Amino acid sequence: MTPNAFRTRFAPSPTGYIHLGNIRSALYPWAFARHHGGTFILRIEDTDTERSTDEAVQVILESMDWMGLDYDEGPYYQMQRMSRYREVMQTLVDAGHVYPCYMRQDELDTLRDRQMAAGEKPRYDGRWRPEPGRILPPIPEGVKPVLRFRTPLLGVVSWDDKVKGPVEFRNDELDDLVIARPDGTPTYNFCVVVDDIDMAITHVIRGDDHVNNTPRQIHIFRALGAQPPTYAHLPTVLNEQGEKLSKRSGAKSVLQYREEGYLPDAMVNYLARLGWSHGNDEVFSREQFVAWFDLDHLGRSAAQFDGEKLKWLNGQAIRAMAPEALADATRPFLDRMGLVVQGVRLEDAVVLVRERASTLVEVAGLCAMFYAPPEPAPELVAQHLSPAATVALSDLRARLAALDPWDKPAISAALKETLVAQGLKMPQLAMPLRLLVTGRLQTPSVDAVLALFPRDTVLSRLDPPQP
Ligand code: GLU
């Protein structure tokens, strides 16, 4: 098979929110398909009708869209494929790969209790499995059967996992799986296999919570006369406390990171490294990731989430952005603060403040000094506006009023002249100046900040207080 025929999929169940571990299970198959010029498919596994919701589907679509994980086919919805599953089920029935089992729930419970009491693993005992020479129990009245898959009794099932290496299960450890419920609806493992066959999936890259399903799925593939795909089972992602990422253990949803001002490219960079490596490279672009991604460098042990590292990478990405792109990314956050961009070009503001910011929320927070009227706390004004500072500010105001051109070098020169004329040190002037012009004591260098403002704005903020 040529690499450009490689087909991967992300197959989430829309039962809640999605966290970073979940979206990583989309990122890797996406990158693998993109790397090989193959096809990436989105399939929504919504057969658990009690837990699946439309809202959760929307969250998946929005999260993928935000992360820039575009798919070439789908979304397919399993609930829309029921007739196909029934059709394929019939071929298994016809070929004798499945059989009806009439065991009632209370009988299953009794069996289970007995096995547990004997210290055995609970499993179906095969009592309805037809075998040559075996007499089956009489069919009870009023019980609708489930269909069970006839798992080979002997031998092993194995595959060469791209992450875990060779994996093998003994068939006698696998009982006969229910693949259709009494009402005929197919169960999870069966649907996955039919889909993976119909969608011609070549590489299944998914979380290792599915390792135990894989031997069962391989048997179903074979019963359907299909070649199982290549599997890569990704190790779990742990939170900072070492627990599995989950809603209950406090994992944030992917979209929460958007709200907090993370950049999709930084998320991709971070998640790429959370379970895969390219030498010692830590900071790379989406394009580099796609160019480098392979299944041979997936990590074998659980990866631990590190929020500080994600934030650091986000800061790196913010600093690497083109000014226009960073301004565009910041604008919604200013909108959210009710601020209107006017007077100061946002492209200039973001470039000036970004050294101090790790998220877009922080960039917007720093840029706010250009778009919100300054409201310095009265106690700070009292503290910093000494009589000497007041005189110096009026000296500076006069120099600034006459400057030509209005730019950073000229402003810097004016500041120095005032310091000399007034016999002050820089902080004695810069602190009250910052406070009056921006309402803050901490800003990037004050000449650069002033240069961004229109001169009139600066002068009016330095006007002596009206009596
Ligand atoms: N629907 C499964 C899940 O959300 C994924 C199944 C698979 O990738 O095979 O865990």
Side-chain angles (χ1 to χ4, degrees), residues 1-46:
M1 174 169 314
T2 59
N4 63 11
F6 287 170
R7 292 167 64 87
T8 62
R9 61 8 174 233
F10 176 44
S13 305
T15 53
Y17 79 139
I18 63 173
H19 57 60
L20 296 188
N22 303 137
I23 201 80
R24 192 190 63 167
S25 299
L27 178 64
Y28 290 5
W30 172 85
F32 186 72
R34 291 290 167 267
H35 175 86
H36 289 292
T39 303
F40 176 59
I41 294 160
L42 175 61
R43 176 168 91 216
I44 305 289
E45 302 203 324
D46 55 355

Coordinates of all heavy atoms in Angstrom, one line a residue, residues 1-46:
M1 N 0.8 -1.2 0.0 CA 0.0 0.0 0.0 C 0.9 1.3 0.0 O 1.8 1.3 0.8 CB -0.9 0.0 1.3 CG -1.7 1.2 1.4 SD -2.9 1.1 2.7 CE -3.6 -0.5 2.4
T2 N 0.5 2.2 -0.9 CA 1.4 3.4 -0.9 C 0.9 4.3 0.3 O -0.2 4.3 0.7 CB 1.1 4.2 -2.2 OG1 -0.2 4.5 -2.3 CG2 1.6 3.5 -3.4
P3 N 1.9 5.0 0.9 CA 1.6 5.8 2.1 C 0.4 6.7 1.8 O -0.4 7.0 2.8 CB 2.9 6.6 2.3 CG 4.0 5.7 1.8 CD 3.4 5.0 0.6
N4 N 0.2 7.3 0.6 CA -0.9 8.2 0.5 C -2.2 7.5 0.5 O -3.3 8.2 0.4 CB -0.7 9.1 -0.7 CG -0.7 8.4 -2.0 OD1 -1.0 7.2 -2.1 ND2 -0.4 9.1 -3.1
A5 N -2.2 6.2 0.6 CA -3.5 5.5 0.8 C -3.7 5.2 2.3 O -4.7 4.6 2.7 CB -3.5 4.2 0.0
F6 N -2.8 5.7 3.2 CA -3.0 5.5 4.6 C -4.3 6.3 5.0 O -4.5 7.4 4.7 CB -1.8 6.0 5.4 CG -0.6 5.1 5.3 CD1 0.6 5.5 5.8 CD2 -0.7 3.8 4.7 CE1 1.7 4.7 5.7 CE2 0.4 3.0 4.6 CZ 1.7 3.5 5.1
R7 N -5.1 5.6 5.8 CA -6.3 6.2 6.3 C -6.4 6.1 7.8 O -6.3 4.9 8.3 CB -7.5 5.6 5.6 CG -7.6 5.9 4.1 CD -8.6 5.1 3.4 NE -9.9 5.3 3.8 CZ -10.7 6.2 3.3 NH1 -10.3 7.1 2.4 NH2 -12.0 6.4 3.8
T8 N -6.6 7.2 8.5 CA -6.7 7.1 10.0 C -8.0 7.7 10.4 O -8.7 8.4 9.6 CB -5.5 7.9 10.7 OG1 -5.6 9.3 10.2 CG2 -4.2 7.4 10.2
R9 N -8.3 7.6 11.7 CA -9.6 8.2 12.2 C -9.4 8.6 13.6 O -8.6 8.1 14.4 CB -10.7 7.3 11.9 CG -10.9 5.9 12.5 CD -10.0 5.3 13.5 NE -10.4 4.1 14.0 CZ -10.6 3.8 15.3 NH1 -10.4 4.8 16.2 NH2 -10.9 2.6 15.8
F10 N -10.3 9.5 14.0 CA -10.6 9.9 15.4 C -12.0 9.5 15.6 O -12.9 9.9 14.8 CB -10.3 11.4 15.6 CG -10.6 11.9 17.0 CD1 -10.2 11.2 18.1 CD2 -11.3 13.1 17.1 CE1 -10.5 11.7 19.4 CE2 -11.6 13.6 18.4 CZ -11.2 12.9 19.5
A11 N -12.2 8.7 16.7 CA -13.6 8.1 16.8 C -14.1 8.4 18.2 O -14.3 7.5 19.0 CB -13.5 6.6 16.6
P12 N -14.3 9.7 18.6 CA -14.8 10.0 19.9 C -16.2 9.6 20.2 O -17.0 9.6 19.3 CB -14.6 11.5 20.0 CG -14.9 12.0 18.6 CD -14.3 10.9 17.7
S13 N -16.5 9.3 21.5 CA -17.9 9.1 21.9 C -18.3 10.5 22.5 O -17.7 11.0 23.4 CB -17.9 8.1 23.0 OG -17.3 6.9 22.5
P14 N -19.4 11.0 22.0 CA -19.9 12.3 22.4 C -20.6 12.3 23.7 O -21.8 12.5 23.8 CB -20.8 12.8 21.3 CG -21.4 11.5 20.8 CD -20.3 10.4 21.0
T15 N -19.9 12.0 24.8 CA -20.6 11.8 26.1 C -20.2 12.8 27.1 O -20.5 12.7 28.3 CB -20.3 10.4 26.6 OG1 -18.8 10.3 26.7 CG2 -20.8 9.3 25.8
G16 N -19.5 13.8 26.7 CA -19.1 14.8 27.7 C -18.2 15.8 27.1 O -18.3 16.1 25.9
Y17 N -17.4 16.4 27.8 CA -16.4 17.3 27.3 C -15.2 16.6 26.7 O -15.1 15.4 26.9 CB -16.1 18.3 28.3 CG -15.0 17.9 29.3 CD1 -14.1 18.7 29.7 CD2 -15.0 16.6 29.8 CE1 -13.1 18.3 30.6 CE2 -14.1 16.2 30.7 CZ -13.1 17.0 31.1 OH -12.2 16.6 32.0
I18 N -14.3 17.2 26.1 CA -13.0 16.5 25.7 C -11.8 17.3 26.3 O -11.7 18.5 26.3 CB -12.9 16.2 24.2 CG1 -12.8 17.5 23.4 CG2 -14.0 15.4 23.7 CD1 -12.5 17.1 21.9
H19 N -10.9 16.5 26.9 CA -9.8 17.0 27.5 C -8.5 16.8 26.6 O -8.6 16.3 25.5 CB -9.6 16.5 28.9 CG -9.5 15.0 29.0 ND1 -8.5 14.3 28.4 CD2 -10.3 14.1 29.7 CE1 -8.6 13.0 28.7 NE2 -9.7 12.9 29.4
L20 N -7.4 17.2 27.2 CA -6.2 17.2 26.3 C -5.8 15.8 25.9 O -5.3 15.6 24.8 CB -5.0 17.9 27.1 CG -5.2 19.4 27.3 CD1 -3.9 20.0 27.9 CD2 -5.6 20.1 26.1
G21 N -6.0 14.8 26.8 CA -5.7 13.4 26.5 C -6.6 13.0 25.3 O -6.1 12.3 24.4
N22 N -7.9 13.4 25.3 CA -8.7 13.0 24.2 C -8.3 13.6 22.9 O -8.2 12.9 21.9 CB -10.2 13.4 24.5 CG -10.8 12.9 25.8 OD1 -11.4 13.7 26.5 ND2 -10.5 11.6 26.1
I23 N -8.0 14.9 22.9 CA -7.7 15.6 21.7 C -6.3 15.1 21.1 O -6.1 15.1 19.9 CB -7.8 17.1 21.8 CG1 -8.0 17.8 20.4 CG2 -6.6 17.7 22.5 CD1 -9.3 17.8 19.9
R24 N -5.5 14.6 22.0 CA -4.2 14.1 21.6 C -4.5 12.8 20.7 O -3.8 12.5 19.8 CB -3.3 13.7 22.7 CG -1.9 13.4 22.3 CD -1.1 12.8 23.4 NE -1.6 11.5 23.9 CZ -1.0 10.7 24.7 NH1 0.2 11.0 25.1 NH2 -1.6 9.5 25.0
S25 N -5.6 12.1 21.0 CA -5.9 10.9 20.2 C -6.5 11.3 18.9 O -6.7 10.5 18.0 CB -7.0 10.1 21.0 OG -6.5 9.6 22.2
A26 N -6.7 12.6 18.7 CA -7.1 13.1 17.4 C -5.8 13.6 16.7 O -5.7 13.5 15.5 CB -8.1 14.2 17.5
L27 N -5.0 14.3 17.4 CA -3.8 14.9 16.9 C -2.9 13.9 16.2 O -2.4 14.2 15.0 CB -3.0 15.7 18.0 CG -1.8 16.4 17.6 CD1 -2.0 17.5 16.6 CD2 -1.0 16.9 18.8
Y28 N -2.6 12.8 16.8 CA -1.6 11.9 16.2 C -2.1 11.2 14.9 O -1.4 11.2 13.9 CB -1.2 10.8 17.3 CG -0.3 11.4 18.4 CD1 -0.1 12.8 18.5 CD2 0.3 10.6 19.3 CE1 0.7 13.3 19.5 CE2 1.1 11.1 20.4 CZ 1.3 12.5 20.4 OH 2.1 13.0 21.4
P29 N -3.4 10.7 14.9 CA -3.8 10.2 13.6 C -3.9 11.2 12.5 O -3.7 11.0 11.4 CB -5.2 9.5 13.9 CG -5.6 10.0 15.3 CD -4.3 10.4 16.0
W30 N -4.3 12.5 13.0 CA -4.3 13.6 12.0 C -2.9 13.8 11.4 O -2.7 13.9 10.2 CB -4.8 14.8 12.7 CG -4.7 16.1 11.9 CD1 -5.6 16.5 11.0 CD2 -3.7 17.1 11.9 NE1 -5.2 17.7 10.4 CE2 -4.0 18.1 11.0 CE3 -2.5 17.2 12.6 CZ2 -3.2 19.2 10.8 CZ3 -1.7 18.3 12.4 CH2 -2.0 19.3 11.5
A31 N -1.9 13.9 12.3 CA -0.6 14.2 11.9 C 0.0 13.1 11.0 O 0.7 13.3 10.0 CB 0.3 14.4 13.1
F32 N -0.4 11.8 11.3 CA 0.1 10.7 10.6 C -0.5 10.8 9.1 O 0.2 10.6 8.2 CB -0.3 9.4 11.3 CG 0.2 8.2 10.6 CD1 1.6 7.8 10.7 CD2 -0.6 7.3 9.9 CE1 2.1 6.7 10.1 CE2 -0.1 6.2 9.3 CZ 1.3 5.9 9.4
A33 N -1.8 11.0 9.1 CA -2.4 11.1 7.7 C -1.8 12.3 7.0 O -1.5 12.2 5.8 CB -3.9 11.3 7.9
R34 N -1.6 13.4 7.6 CA -1.1 14.6 6.9 C 0.3 14.3 6.4 O 0.7 14.7 5.4 CB -1.1 15.8 7.8 CG -2.6 16.3 8.1 CD -3.2 17.0 6.8 NE -4.6 17.2 7.0 CZ -5.6 16.3 6.7 NH1 -5.2 15.1 6.1 NH2 -6.9 16.5 6.9
H35 N 1.1 13.7 7.3 CA 2.5 13.4 7.0 C 2.6 12.6 5.7 O 3.5 12.8 4.8 CB 3.2 12.7 8.1 CG 4.6 12.2 7.9 ND1 5.7 13.0 8.1 CD2 5.1 11.1 7.3 CE1 6.8 12.4 7.7 NE2 6.4 11.2 7.3
H36 N 1.7 11.6 5.6 CA 1.8 10.7 4.4 C 0.9 11.1 3.3 O 0.8 10.4 2.3 CB 1.4 9.3 4.9 CG 2.4 8.7 5.7 ND1 3.7 8.3 5.3 CD2 2.4 8.4 7.1 CE1 4.4 7.8 6.3 NE2 3.6 7.8 7.4
G37 N 0.2 12.3 3.4 CA -0.7 12.7 2.3 C -1.9 11.7 2.3 O -2.5 11.5 1.2
G38 N -2.2 11.1 3.4 CA -3.3 10.2 3.5 C -4.6 10.9 3.8 O -4.8 12.1 3.6
T39 N -5.5 10.1 4.4 CA -6.9 10.6 4.7 C -7.2 10.5 6.2 O -6.9 9.4 6.8 CB -7.9 9.8 3.9 OG1 -7.5 9.9 2.5 CG2 -9.3 10.3 4.1
F40 N -7.7 11.6 6.8 CA -8.1 11.6 8.2 C -9.6 11.7 8.3 O -10.2 12.5 7.6 CB -7.4 12.7 8.9 CG -7.8 12.9 10.3 CD1 -7.6 11.9 11.3 CD2 -8.4 14.1 10.8 CE1 -7.9 12.1 12.6 CE2 -8.7 14.3 12.1 CZ -8.5 13.2 13.0
I41 N -10.2 10.8 9.1 CA -11.6 10.7 9.1 C -12.2 10.9 10.5 O -11.5 10.5 11.5 CB -12.0 9.2 8.7 CG1 -11.6 9.0 7.2 CG2 -13.5 8.9 9.0 CD1 -11.5 7.6 6.8
L42 N -13.3 11.6 10.6 CA -13.9 11.8 11.9 C -15.2 11.0 12.0 O -16.0 11.0 11.1 CB -14.2 13.3 12.1 CG -15.0 13.6 13.4 CD1 -14.2 13.2 14.7 CD2 -15.4 15.1 13.5
R43 N -15.2 10.2 13.1 CA -16.4 9.3 13.3 C -16.9 9.5 14.7 O -16.1 9.4 15.6 CB -15.9 7.9 13.1 CG -16.9 6.9 13.3 CD -16.5 5.5 12.8 NE -15.8 4.8 13.8 CZ -14.7 4.0 13.6 NH1 -14.2 3.9 12.3 NH2 -14.2 3.3 14.5
I44 N -18.1 9.8 14.8 CA -18.7 10.0 16.1 C -19.4 8.7 16.5 O -20.3 8.2 15.9 CB -19.8 11.2 16.0 CG1 -19.2 12.5 15.4 CG2 -20.5 11.4 17.3 CD1 -18.2 13.2 16.3
E45 N -18.9 8.2 17.7 CA -19.4 6.9 18.2 C -20.5 7.2 19.2 O -20.3 7.2 20.4 CB -18.2 6.1 18.7 CG -17.2 5.9 17.6 CD -16.3 4.7 17.8 OE1 -15.9 4.4 18.9 OE2 -15.9 4.1 16.8
D46 N -21.7 7.3 18.6 CA -22.8 7.8 19.5 C -23.9 6.8 19.8 O -25.0 7.1 20.0 CB -23.5 9.0 18.7 CG -23.9 8.7 17.3 OD1 -23.6 7.5 16.9 OD2 -24.6 9.5 16.7

